[in-house]
Amino acid sequence: MATRRILARQVFDGERLLDGPHLLRIDDGVIAAVEKAPVGEAGDSDVAAAFAMPGLVEAHAHIFLDGAELEGEARGAYLGVDFATMMATARANLAKSTRAGVTLVRDAGDRYGVNTAIRDELRSRADAPVALRAPGLGIKRPKRYGGFMARDIV
């Protein structure tokens, strides 16, 4: 088990801002403990930080899409590109998310298999900086929005 200890002057625990110093123990990439540390003592830390918080969560994404394209025809044309291009877009989106502090992305589905392929790719990497939850093919009502990511339910 890989353990890392971070001494932080302030910690945001997801609900409260805690004035420190606090010692965070991280076991295998998971915050295992947050304990008040004596002022002025680095203790058993590996690194000191002014501020620490859990990673951010992207709660609704379609990682295979480039959200920058706003023109309808161009967006529709993108759905005809090859799988490799969609995978490259997904990897670029995850890299952007990682740079922004996101550590978990919840993908909302696609009908091309990109989300599950990227999920499996990330799971195979011990050094993956982000986790991906992916449902695969979504479901939708007939004649409603979402044909790019879902199949119709009857």
Side-chain angles (χ1 to χ4, degrees), residues 69-140:
E69 181 56 64
L70 300 178
E71 198 276 311
E73 274 189 42
R75 285 188 354 201
Y78 172 78
L79 298 178
V81 302
D82 63 1
F83 184 76
T85 300
M86 289 182 179
M87 289 289 285
T89 298
R91 289 184 189 105
N93 286 336
L94 289 174
K96 289 176 194 173
S97 293
T98 300
R99 286 192 301 275
V102 173
T103 58
L104 174 65
V105 174
R106 294 180 56 154
D107 190 88
D110 72 74
R111 67 177 330 130
Y112 306 96
V114 175
N115 65 14
T116 53
I118 291 287
R119 178 199 62 205
D120 295 345
E121 183 178 293
L122 289 169
R123 284 181 179 170
S124 72
R125 292 180 46 195
D127 66 337
V130 62
L132 177 69
R133 303 291 181 266
L137 179 63
I139 56 173
K140 70 175 194 66

